[in-house]
Amino acid sequence: MTKENPVVKTYEESEWAKLTDYDLPVKVSLQLLESLHERWTYLLENLTAPQLQLTYQYPDGSKMRIEQSIALYAWHGNHHFAHMQLALNN
């Protein structure tokens, strides 16, 4: 949001599991995620209409607006939550 149409970097989740901090208790990651979500919620709830139209670009050249990103990540979070519920019910 501080640059015009920046190119975002991608990452490989499977490579993260090879890092030494993978051995930390899950509590550490949950605390980090909770804090990150608190900051994101505050930021996103206070975006202006023009800010919601800002774009960023993936390395493949495709673009996404902030408002699209919010919808995608909301769906993505719900998708993961559904997987957890399913696992807990089995």
Coordinates of all heavy atoms in Angstrom, one line a residue:
M1 N 0.8 -1.2 0.0 CA 0.0 0.0 0.0 C 0.9 1.3 0.0 O 0.3 2.3 -0.1 CB -0.9 0.0 1.2 CG -2.0 -1.1 1.1 SD -3.2 -1.0 2.4 CE -3.7 0.7 2.4
T2 N 2.1 1.1 0.1 CA 3.0 2.2 0.1 C 3.7 2.4 -1.3 O 4.4 3.4 -1.4 CB 4.1 2.1 1.2 OG1 4.9 0.9 0.9 CG2 3.5 2.1 2.6
K3 N 3.4 1.5 -2.2 CA 4.0 1.6 -3.6 C 2.9 1.4 -4.6 O 1.9 0.8 -4.3 CB 5.1 0.6 -3.8 CG 6.3 0.7 -2.9 CD 7.3 -0.3 -3.3 CE 8.5 -0.1 -2.4 NZ 9.5 -1.1 -2.7
E4 N 3.1 2.0 -5.8 CA 2.1 1.8 -6.8 C 2.3 0.4 -7.5 O 3.4 0.2 -8.1 CB 2.1 2.9 -7.8 CG 1.0 2.9 -8.8 CD 1.0 4.2 -9.7 OE1 1.3 5.3 -9.1 OE2 0.6 4.0 -10.8
N5 N 1.4 -0.5 -7.4 CA 1.4 -1.8 -8.1 C 2.7 -2.5 -7.9 O 3.4 -2.9 -8.9 CB 1.1 -1.6 -9.6 CG 0.7 -2.9 -10.2 OD1 0.0 -3.7 -9.7 ND2 1.3 -3.2 -11.4
P6 N 3.1 -2.8 -6.6 CA 4.4 -3.5 -6.4 C 4.3 -4.9 -6.8 O 3.2 -5.5 -6.8 CB 4.6 -3.3 -4.9 CG 3.2 -3.3 -4.4 CD 2.4 -2.5 -5.4
V7 N 5.4 -5.5 -7.1 CA 5.5 -6.9 -7.4 C 5.7 -7.6 -6.1 O 6.6 -7.3 -5.4 CB 6.6 -7.3 -8.4 CG1 6.7 -8.8 -8.6 CG2 6.4 -6.6 -9.7
V8 N 4.8 -8.6 -5.7 CA 5.0 -9.3 -4.5 C 5.8 -10.6 -4.7 O 5.9 -11.1 -5.8 CB 3.6 -9.7 -3.9 CG1 2.8 -8.5 -3.5 CG2 2.8 -10.5 -4.8
K9 N 6.5 -11.0 -3.7 CA 7.3 -12.2 -3.7 C 6.5 -13.4 -3.3 O 5.7 -13.3 -2.4 CB 8.5 -12.0 -2.8 CG 9.5 -10.9 -3.3 CD 10.7 -10.8 -2.4 CE 11.5 -9.7 -2.7 NZ 12.6 -10.0 -3.6
T10 N 6.7 -14.5 -4.0 CA 6.1 -15.7 -3.6 C 7.0 -16.5 -2.7 O 8.1 -16.1 -2.5 CB 5.8 -16.6 -4.9 OG1 7.0 -16.8 -5.5 CG2 4.8 -15.8 -5.8
Y11 N 6.5 -17.6 -2.1 CA 7.3 -18.4 -1.2 C 6.8 -19.8 -1.3 O 5.7 -20.1 -1.7 CB 7.2 -17.9 0.2 CG 5.8 -17.8 0.8 CD1 5.2 -18.8 1.5 CD2 5.0 -16.6 0.6 CE1 3.9 -18.8 2.0 CE2 3.7 -16.6 1.1 CZ 3.2 -17.6 1.8 OH 1.9 -17.6 2.2
E12 N 7.6 -20.7 -0.8 CA 7.3 -22.1 -0.8 C 7.0 -22.6 0.7 O 8.0 -22.6 1.5 CB 8.4 -23.0 -1.4 CG 8.6 -22.7 -2.9 CD 7.4 -23.1 -3.7 OE1 6.7 -24.1 -3.3 OE2 7.2 -22.5 -4.7
E13 N 5.8 -22.8 1.0 CA 5.4 -23.2 2.4 C 6.2 -24.5 2.8 O 6.6 -24.5 4.0 CB 3.9 -23.5 2.5 CG 3.1 -22.3 2.3 CD 2.6 -22.2 0.9 OE1 3.2 -22.8 0.0 OE2 1.6 -21.5 0.6
S14 N 6.4 -25.4 1.9 CA 7.1 -26.6 2.3 C 8.6 -26.3 2.7 O 9.1 -27.1 3.5 CB 7.1 -27.6 1.2 OG 7.8 -27.1 0.0
E15 N 9.2 -25.3 2.2 CA 10.5 -24.9 2.6 C 10.6 -24.4 4.0 O 11.6 -24.5 4.7 CB 11.1 -23.9 1.6 CG 11.3 -24.5 0.2 CD 12.3 -25.7 0.2 OE1 13.4 -25.5 0.9 OE2 12.0 -26.7 -0.4
W16 N 9.5 -23.7 4.5 CA 9.4 -23.2 5.8 C 9.6 -24.3 6.8 O 10.2 -24.1 7.9 CB 8.1 -22.4 6.0 CG 8.1 -21.1 5.4 CD1 8.9 -20.6 4.5 CD2 7.1 -20.1 5.6 NE1 8.6 -19.3 4.1 CE2 7.4 -19.0 4.8 CE3 6.0 -20.0 6.5 CZ2 6.7 -17.8 4.8 CZ3 5.3 -18.8 6.4 CH2 5.6 -17.8 5.6
A17 N 9.0 -25.5 6.6 CA 9.1 -26.6 7.5 C 10.5 -27.1 7.7 O 10.8 -27.8 8.7 CB 8.2 -27.7 7.0
K18 N 11.4 -26.7 6.9 CA 12.8 -27.1 7.0 C 13.6 -26.1 7.9 O 14.8 -26.4 8.2 CB 13.5 -27.2 5.6 CG 12.8 -28.3 4.7 CD 13.4 -28.3 3.4 CE 12.7 -29.2 2.4 NZ 13.2 -29.2 1.1
L19 N 13.1 -25.0 8.2 CA 13.8 -24.0 9.1 C 13.8 -24.4 10.5 O 12.9 -25.1 11.0 CB 13.2 -22.6 8.9 CG 13.2 -22.1 7.4 CD1 12.4 -20.8 7.4 CD2 14.6 -21.9 6.9
T20 N 14.8 -24.0 11.3 CA 14.9 -24.4 12.7 C 13.8 -24.0 13.6 O 13.5 -24.6 14.6 CB 16.2 -23.9 13.3 OG1 16.3 -22.5 13.2 CG2 17.4 -24.5 12.6
D21 N 13.1 -22.8 13.2 CA 12.0 -22.4 14.1 C 10.8 -23.3 14.0 O 9.8 -23.1 14.7 CB 11.7 -20.9 13.9 CG 11.1 -20.6 12.5 OD1 11.3 -21.5 11.6 OD2 10.6 -19.6 12.3
Y22 N 10.8 -24.2 13.1 CA 9.7 -25.2 12.9 C 9.5 -26.0 14.2 O 8.4 -26.4 14.5 CB 10.0 -26.1 11.7 CG 8.9 -27.1 11.5 CD1 7.8 -26.8 10.8 CD2 9.0 -28.4 11.9 CE1 6.8 -27.7 10.5 CE2 8.0 -29.4 11.7 CZ 6.9 -29.0 11.0 OH 5.9 -29.9 10.7
D23 N 10.6 -26.2 15.0 CA 10.5 -27.0 16.2 C 10.0 -26.2 17.4 O 9.8 -26.8 18.5 CB 11.9 -27.5 16.5 CG 12.5 -28.4 15.5 OD1 11.7 -29.2 14.9 OD2 13.7 -28.4 15.2
L24 N 9.7 -24.9 17.2 CA 9.1 -24.2 18.4 C 7.7 -24.7 18.7 O 7.0 -25.2 17.8 CB 9.0 -22.7 18.0 CG 10.3 -21.9 18.0 CD1 10.1 -20.5 17.4 CD2 10.9 -21.8 19.4
P25 N 7.2 -24.5 19.9 CA 5.9 -24.9 20.2 C 4.9 -24.1 19.3 O 5.1 -23.0 19.0 CB 5.7 -24.5 21.7 CG 7.1 -24.3 22.2 CD 7.9 -23.9 21.0
V26 N 3.8 -24.8 19.0 CA 2.8 -24.2 18.1 C 2.2 -22.9 18.7 O 1.8 -22.0 18.0 CB 1.6 -25.2 17.8 CG1 0.8 -25.5 19.0 CG2 0.8 -24.7 16.6
K27 N 2.3 -22.8 20.1 CA 1.8 -21.6 20.8 C 2.4 -20.3 20.3 O 1.8 -19.3 20.1 CB 2.0 -21.8 22.3 CG 1.7 -20.6 23.1 CD 2.1 -20.9 24.6 CE 2.2 -19.6 25.3 NZ 2.7 -19.8 26.7
V28 N 3.7 -20.4 19.9 CA 4.5 -19.3 19.4 C 3.8 -18.8 18.1 O 3.6 -17.6 17.9 CB 6.0 -19.6 19.3 CG1 6.7 -18.4 18.6 CG2 6.6 -20.0 20.6
S29 N 3.6 -19.7 17.2 CA 3.0 -19.3 15.9 C 1.6 -18.8 16.1 O 1.2 -17.8 15.4 CB 2.9 -20.5 15.0 OG 4.3 -20.9 14.7
L30 N 0.8 -19.4 17.0 CA -0.6 -18.9 17.2 C -0.6 -17.5 17.8 O -1.4 -16.6 17.4 CB -1.3 -19.8 18.1 CG -1.6 -21.2 17.5 CD1 -2.2 -22.1 18.6 CD2 -2.5 -21.1 16.3
Q31 N 0.4 -17.2 18.7 CA 0.5 -15.8 19.2 C 0.8 -14.8 18.1 O 0.3 -13.7 18.1 CB 1.5 -15.8 20.3 CG 1.1 -16.5 21.6 CD 2.3 -16.6 22.6 OE1 3.5 -16.6 22.2 NE2 2.0 -16.7 23.9
L32 N 1.8 -15.2 17.3 CA 2.2 -14.3 16.1 C 1.0 -14.1 15.2 O 0.7 -13.0 14.8 CB 3.3 -15.0 15.4 CG 3.8 -14.3 14.1 CD1 4.4 -12.9 14.5 CD2 4.9 -15.1 13.4
L33 N 0.3 -15.1 14.9 CA -0.9 -15.0 14.0 C -2.0 -14.2 14.6 O -2.6 -13.3 13.9 CB -1.4 -16.4 13.7 CG -2.4 -16.6 12.6 CD1 -1.9 -16.0 11.3 CD2 -2.9 -18.0 12.4
E34 N -2.2 -14.3 15.9 CA -3.2 -13.5 16.6 C -2.9 -12.0 16.5 O -3.7 -11.2 16.2 CB -3.4 -13.9 18.0 CG -4.5 -13.2 18.8 CD -4.7 -13.6 20.2 OE1 -4.0 -14.6 20.6 OE2 -5.5 -13.1 20.9
S35 N -1.6 -11.7 16.7 CA -1.2 -10.3 16.7 C -1.3 -9.8 15.2 O -1.7 -8.6 15.0 CB 0.3 -10.2 17.2 OG 0.3 -10.5 18.6
L36 N -0.8 -10.6 14.3 CA -0.9 -10.2 12.9 C -2.3 -9.9 12.5 O -2.6 -8.9 11.8 CB -0.3 -11.2 12.0 CG -0.2 -11.0 10.5 CD1 0.6 -9.7 10.2 CD2 0.3 -12.2 9.8
H37 N -3.2 -10.8 12.9 CA -4.6 -10.6 12.5 C -5.2 -9.3 13.1 O -6.0 -8.6 12.5 CB -5.5 -11.8 12.8 CG -5.3 -12.9 11.9 ND1 -5.9 -14.1 12.0 CD2 -4.5 -13.0 10.8 CE1 -5.5 -14.9 11.0 NE2 -4.7 -14.3 10.2
E38 N -4.8 -9.0 14.3 CA -5.3 -7.8 15.0 C -4.8 -6.6 14.2 O -5.6 -5.6 14.0 CB -4.8 -7.7 16.4 CG -5.3 -6.6 17.2 CD -4.9 -6.6 18.7 OE1 -4.4 -7.6 19.2 OE2 -5.2 -5.6 19.4
R39 N -3.6 -6.5 13.8 CA -3.1 -5.4 13.0 C -3.8 -5.3 11.7 O -4.2 -4.3 11.2 CB -1.6 -5.5 12.8 CG -0.8 -5.3 14.1 CD 0.7 -5.2 13.8 NE 1.0 -4.1 12.9 CZ 1.6 -3.0 13.3 NH1 1.9 -2.9 14.5 NH2 1.8 -2.0 12.4
W40 N -3.9 -6.5 11.0 CA -4.6 -6.5 9.7 C -6.1 -6.0 9.8 O -6.5 -5.3 8.9 CB -4.6 -7.9 9.1 CG -3.4 -8.3 8.4 CD1 -2.3 -7.5 8.0 CD2 -3.0 -9.6 7.9 NE1 -1.4 -8.2 7.4 CE2 -1.8 -9.5 7.3 CE3 -3.7 -10.8 7.9 CZ2 -1.1 -10.6 6.7 CZ3 -3.0 -11.9 7.3 CH2 -1.8 -11.8 6.7
T41 N -6.8 -6.5 10.8 CA -8.2 -6.1 11.0 C -8.3 -4.6 11.1 O -9.1 -3.9 10.5 CB -8.8 -6.8 12.2 OG1 -8.7 -8.2 12.0 CG2 -10.2 -6.4 12.5
Y42 N -7.4 -4.0 12.0 CA -7.4 -2.6 12.2 C -7.2 -1.8 10.9 O -7.9 -0.9 10.5 CB -6.4 -2.1 13.2 CG -6.5 -0.7 13.5 CD1 -7.4 -0.1 14.4 CD2 -5.6 0.2 12.9 CE1 -7.5 1.2 14.6 CE2 -5.6 1.6 13.2 CZ -6.6 2.1 14.0 OH -6.7 3.4 14.3
L43 N -6.1 -2.3 10.2 CA -5.8 -1.6 8.9 C -6.9 -1.8 7.9 O -7.3 -0.8 7.3 CB -4.5 -2.3 8.3 CG -4.1 -1.8 6.9 CD1 -3.6 -0.3 7.0 CD2 -3.0 -2.7 6.4
L44 N -7.4 -3.0 7.7 CA -8.4 -3.2 6.6 C -9.7 -2.5 6.9 O -10.4 -2.1 6.0 CB -8.5 -4.7 6.4 CG -7.3 -5.4 5.9 CD1 -7.6 -6.9 5.8 CD2 -6.8 -4.9 4.6
E45 N -10.1 -2.5 8.2 CA -11.3 -1.8 8.5 C -11.3 -0.3 8.3 O -12.3 0.4 8.2 CB -11.7 -2.1 10.0 CG -12.2 -3.5 10.2 CD -12.6 -3.8 11.6 OE1 -12.2 -3.0 12.5 OE2 -13.3 -4.8 11.8
N46 N -10.1 0.2 8.2 CA -9.9 1.7 8.0 C -9.4 2.1 6.6 O -9.1 3.3 6.4 CB -9.0 2.2 9.1 CG -9.6 2.2 10.5 OD1 -10.4 3.0 10.8 ND2 -9.2 1.2 11.3
L47 N -9.5 1.2 5.7 CA -9.1 1.6 4.3 C -10.2 2.5 3.7 O -11.4 2.3 3.9 CB -8.9 0.3 3.5 CG -7.7 -0.5 3.8 CD1 -7.7 -1.8 2.9 CD2 -6.4 0.2 3.7
T48 N -9.7 3.4 2.9 CA -10.7 4.2 2.1 C -11.0 3.5 0.8 O -10.4 2.6 0.4 CB -10.0 5.6 1.8 OG1 -8.9 5.3 0.9 CG2 -9.5 6.3 3.1
A49 N -12.1 4.0 0.2 CA -12.5 3.5 -1.1 C -11.4 3.5 -2.1 O -11.1 2.5 -2.8 CB -13.7 4.2 -1.6
P50 N -10.6 4.6 -2.3 CA -9.5 4.6 -3.2 C -8.4 3.6 -2.8 O -7.8 2.9 -3.7 CB -8.9 6.0 -3.2 CG -10.1 6.8 -2.7 CD -10.8 6.0 -1.8
Q51 N -8.2 3.4 -1.5 CA -7.1 2.4 -1.1 C -7.6 1.0 -1.5 O -6.7 0.1 -1.8 CB -6.9 2.5 0.4 CG -6.1 3.8 0.7 CD -6.0 4.0 2.2 OE1 -7.0 3.8 3.0 NE2 -4.8 4.4 2.7
L52 N -8.8 0.7 -1.4 CA -9.3 -0.6 -1.7 C -9.1 -1.0 -3.2 O -9.1 -2.1 -3.6 CB -10.8 -0.8 -1.4 CG -11.1 -0.9 0.1 CD1 -12.6 -0.7 0.3 CD2 -10.6 -2.2 0.7
Q53 N -8.9 0.1 -4.0 CA -8.7 -0.1 -5.5 C -7.2 -0.3 -5.8 O -6.9 -0.6 -7.0 CB -9.3 1.0 -6.3 CG -10.8 1.2 -6.1 CD -11.6 -0.1 -6.4 OE1 -11.4 -0.7 -7.4 NE2 -12.5 -0.5 -5.5
L54 N -6.3 -0.1 -4.9 CA -4.9 -0.2 -5.2 C -4.6 -1.6 -5.6 O -5.3 -2.6 -5.2 CB -4.1 0.1 -3.9 CG -4.1 1.6 -3.5 CD1 -3.4 1.7 -2.1 CD2 -3.5 2.5 -4.5
T55 N -3.6 -1.8 -6.4 CA -3.3 -3.1 -6.9 C -1.8 -3.5 -6.6 O -1.0 -2.7 -6.2 CB -3.4 -3.2 -8.5 OG1 -2.5 -2.2 -9.0 CG2 -4.8 -2.9 -8.9
Y56 N -1.6 -4.8 -6.6 CA -0.3 -5.3 -6.6 C -0.2 -6.4 -7.7 O -1.2 -6.8 -8.2 CB 0.1 -5.9 -5.2 CG -0.8 -7.0 -4.7 CD1 -0.5 -8.3 -5.0 CD2 -1.9 -6.7 -3.9 CE1 -1.3 -9.4 -4.5 CE2 -2.7 -7.8 -3.5 CZ -2.4 -9.1 -3.7 OH -3.2 -10.1 -3.3
Q57 N 1.0 -6.8 -8.0 CA 1.3 -7.7 -9.1 C 2.1 -8.9 -8.7 O 3.0 -8.8 -7.9 CB 2.1 -6.9 -10.2 CG 2.3 -7.7 -11.4 CD 2.9 -6.8 -12.5 OE1 2.4 -5.7 -12.7 NE2 4.0 -7.2 -13.1
Y58 N 1.7 -10.1 -9.2 CA 2.4 -11.3 -9.0 C 3.5 -11.4 -10.0 O 3.5 -10.7 -11.0 CB 1.5 -12.5 -9.1 CG 0.5 -12.6 -8.0 CD1 -0.8 -12.2 -8.1 CD2 0.9 -13.2 -6.8 CE1 -1.8 -12.3 -7.1 CE2 -0.1 -13.3 -5.7 CZ -1.3 -12.9 -5.9 OH -2.2 -13.0 -4.9
P59 N 4.5 -12.2 -9.7 CA 5.7 -12.3 -10.6 C 5.2 -12.8 -12.0 O 5.9 -12.4 -13.0 CB 6.6 -13.4 -10.0 CG 6.3 -13.2 -8.5 CD 4.8 -12.9 -8.4
D60 N 4.1 -13.4 -12.1 CA 3.6 -13.9 -13.5 C 3.0 -12.7 -14.2 O 2.5 -12.9 -15.4 CB 2.7 -15.1 -13.4 CG 1.4 -14.8 -12.7 OD1 1.1 -13.6 -12.4 OD2 0.6 -15.7 -12.5
G61 N 2.8 -11.6 -13.6 CA 2.2 -10.4 -14.3 C 0.8 -10.2 -14.0 O 0.3 -9.1 -14.3
S62 N 0.1 -11.1 -13.3 CA -1.3 -10.9 -13.0 C -1.4 -9.9 -11.8 O -0.5 -9.8 -11.0 CB -2.0 -12.2 -12.6 OG -1.4 -12.8 -11.5
K63 N -2.5 -9.1 -11.9 CA -2.7 -8.1 -10.9 C -3.9 -8.4 -10.0 O -4.8 -9.1 -10.4 CB -2.9 -6.7 -11.6 CG -1.8 -6.1 -12.3 CD -2.1 -4.8 -12.8 CE -0.9 -4.2 -13.6 NZ -1.2 -2.9 -14.2
M64 N -3.9 -7.9 -8.8 CA -5.0 -8.0 -7.9 C -5.2 -6.7 -7.1 O -4.3 -6.1 -6.7 CB -4.8 -9.2 -6.9 CG -6.0 -9.5 -6.1 SD -5.9 -11.0 -5.1 CE -6.0 -12.2 -6.3
R65 N -6.5 -6.4 -7.0 CA -6.9 -5.2 -6.2 C -6.9 -5.6 -4.7 O -7.2 -6.8 -4.4 CB -8.2 -4.6 -6.6 CG -8.2 -4.0 -7.9 CD -9.5 -3.2 -8.3 NE -10.7 -4.0 -7.9 CZ -11.3 -4.9 -8.7 NH1 -10.8 -5.2 -9.8 NH2 -12.4 -5.5 -8.2
I66 N -6.7 -4.6 -3.8 CA -6.7 -4.9 -2.4 C -8.1 -5.5 -2.0 O -8.2 -6.5 -1.2 CB -6.4 -3.6 -1.6 CG1 -5.0 -3.1 -1.8 CG2 -6.7 -3.8 -0.1 CD1 -3.9 -4.0 -1.3
E67 N -9.2 -5.0 -2.5 CA -10.5 -5.5 -2.2 C -10.7 -6.9 -2.6 O -11.3 -7.7 -1.9 CB -11.6 -4.6 -2.8 CG -11.7 -4.6 -4.3 CD -12.8 -3.7 -4.8 OE1 -13.6 -3.2 -4.1 OE2 -12.8 -3.6 -6.1
Q68 N -10.1 -7.3 -3.7 CA -10.1 -8.7 -4.2 C -9.3 -9.6 -3.2 O -9.7 -10.7 -2.9 CB -9.5 -8.9 -5.6 CG -10.3 -8.2 -6.7 CD -9.6 -8.3 -8.0 OE1 -8.5 -7.7 -8.1 NE2 -10.1 -8.9 -9.0
S69 N -8.2 -9.1 -2.8 CA -7.3 -9.8 -1.9 C -8.0 -10.1 -0.6 O -7.9 -11.2 0.0 CB -6.1 -9.0 -1.7 OG -5.0 -9.8 -1.4
I70 N -8.7 -9.1 -0.1 CA -9.5 -9.3 1.2 C -10.5 -10.4 1.1 O -10.5 -11.3 1.9 CB -10.2 -8.0 1.6 CG1 -9.1 -6.9 2.0 CG2 -11.1 -8.2 2.8 CD1 -9.7 -5.5 2.1
A71 N -11.2 -10.4 0.0 CA -12.2 -11.5 -0.3 C -11.5 -12.8 -0.4 O -12.0 -13.8 0.2 CB -13.1 -11.2 -1.5
L72 N -10.5 -12.9 -1.1 CA -9.7 -14.2 -1.3 C -9.2 -14.7 0.0 O -9.4 -15.9 0.3 CB -8.6 -14.0 -2.3 CG -7.7 -15.2 -2.6 CD1 -8.5 -16.3 -3.2 CD2 -6.5 -14.8 -3.4
Y73 N -8.6 -13.9 0.8 CA -8.0 -14.4 2.0 C -9.1 -14.7 3.1 O -8.9 -15.6 3.9 CB -6.9 -13.4 2.5 CG -5.7 -13.6 1.7 CD1 -5.3 -12.7 0.7 CD2 -4.8 -14.7 2.0 CE1 -4.2 -12.9 0.0 CE2 -3.7 -14.8 1.2 CZ -3.3 -13.9 0.2 OH -2.2 -14.1 -0.5
A74 N -10.2 -14.0 3.0 CA -11.3 -14.4 3.9 C -11.8 -15.8 3.5 O -12.0 -16.6 4.4 CB -12.4 -13.4 3.8
W75 N -12.0 -16.0 2.2 CA -12.4 -17.4 1.8 C -11.3 -18.4 2.2 O -11.6 -19.5 2.7 CB -12.6 -17.4 0.3 CG -12.8 -18.8 -0.2 CD1 -14.0 -19.4 -0.3 CD2 -11.8 -19.7 -0.6 NE1 -13.8 -20.7 -0.7 CE2 -12.5 -20.9 -0.9 CE3 -10.4 -19.7 -0.8 CZ2 -11.8 -22.1 -1.4 CZ3 -9.8 -20.8 -1.2 CH2 -10.5 -22.0 -1.5
H76 N -10.0 -18.1 2.0 CA -8.9 -19.0 2.2 C -8.9 -19.4 3.7 O -8.7 -20.5 4.1 CB -7.6 -18.3 1.8 CG -6.5 -19.2 1.8 ND1 -6.1 -20.0 0.7 CD2 -5.5 -19.5 2.7 CE1 -5.1 -20.7 1.0 NE2 -4.7 -20.4 2.2
G77 N -9.1 -18.4 4.6 CA -9.1 -18.7 6.0 C -10.3 -19.6 6.4 O -10.1 -20.5 7.2
N78 N -11.4 -19.3 5.8 CA -12.6 -20.2 6.1 C -12.4 -21.6 5.6 O -12.8 -22.6 6.2 CB -13.9 -19.6 5.5 CG -14.3 -18.3 6.2 OD1 -14.1 -18.2 7.4 ND2 -15.0 -17.4 5.5
H79 N -11.7 -21.7 4.4 CA -11.4 -23.0 3.8 C -10.5 -23.8 4.8 O -10.8 -25.0 5.1 CB -10.7 -22.8 2.5 CG -10.3 -24.0 1.8 ND1 -11.2 -24.8 1.2 CD2 -9.1 -24.5 1.6 CE1 -10.5 -25.8 0.6 NE2 -9.3 -25.7 0.9
H80 N -9.5 -23.2 5.4 CA -8.6 -23.9 6.3 C -9.4 -24.2 7.6 O -9.2 -25.3 8.1 CB -7.4 -23.0 6.7 CG -6.3 -23.0 5.6 ND1 -5.5 -24.1 5.5 CD2 -6.0 -22.1 4.7 CE1 -4.6 -23.8 4.5 NE2 -4.9 -22.6 4.0
F81 N -10.2 -23.3 8.0 CA -11.0 -23.6 9.2 C -11.9 -24.8 9.0 O -12.1 -25.7 9.9 CB -11.8 -22.4 9.6 CG -12.6 -22.5 10.9 CD1 -11.9 -22.7 12.1 CD2 -14.0 -22.5 10.9 CE1 -12.6 -22.8 13.3 CE2 -14.7 -22.6 12.1 CZ -14.0 -22.8 13.3
A82 N -12.5 -24.9 7.8 CA -13.4 -26.1 7.5 C -12.6 -27.4 7.6 O -13.1 -28.4 8.0 CB -14.0 -25.9 6.2
H83 N -11.3 -27.3 7.1 CA -10.5 -28.5 7.1 C -10.2 -28.9 8.6 O -10.2 -30.1 8.9 CB -9.1 -28.3 6.4 CG -9.2 -28.4 4.9 ND1 -9.2 -29.6 4.3 CD2 -9.3 -27.5 4.0 CE1 -9.3 -29.4 3.0 NE2 -9.3 -28.1 2.8
M84 N -10.0 -27.9 9.4 CA -9.7 -28.2 10.8 C -11.0 -28.8 11.5 O -10.9 -29.8 12.3 CB -9.3 -27.0 11.6 CG -7.9 -26.5 11.2 SD -7.3 -25.1 12.2 CE -8.0 -23.8 11.2
Q85 N -12.1 -28.2 11.2 CA -13.4 -28.8 11.8 C -13.6 -30.2 11.3 O -14.0 -31.1 12.1 CB -14.6 -27.9 11.4 CG -14.6 -26.6 12.1 CD -15.8 -25.8 11.6 OE1 -16.0 -25.6 10.4 NE2 -16.5 -25.2 12.6
L86 N -13.3 -30.5 10.1 CA -13.5 -31.8 9.5 C -12.6 -32.8 10.2 O -13.0 -33.9 10.6 CB -13.3 -31.8 8.0 CG -13.5 -33.1 7.3 CD1 -15.0 -33.6 7.4 CD2 -13.1 -33.0 5.8
A87 N -11.3 -32.4 10.4 CA -10.3 -33.2 11.1 C -10.7 -33.5 12.5 O -10.6 -34.6 13.0 CB -9.0 -32.6 11.0
L88 N -11.3 -32.5 13.2 CA -11.6 -32.7 14.6 C -12.9 -33.6 14.8 O -13.1 -34.2 15.8 CB -11.9 -31.3 15.3 CG -10.6 -30.5 15.5 CD1 -11.0 -29.1 15.9 CD2 -9.7 -31.1 16.5
N89 N -13.7 -33.6 13.7 CA -14.9 -34.4 13.8 C -14.7 -35.8 13.4 O -15.6 -36.7 13.5 CB -16.0 -33.8 12.9 CG -16.6 -32.5 13.5 OD1 -16.5 -32.3 14.7 ND2 -17.0 -31.6 12.6
N90 N -13.5 -36.2 12.9 CA -13.3 -37.6 12.5 C -12.6 -38.3 13.6 O -12.0 -38.0 14.4 CB -12.4 -37.6 11.2 CG -13.2 -37.2 10.0 OD1 -14.4 -37.5 10.0 ND2 -12.6 -36.6 9.0

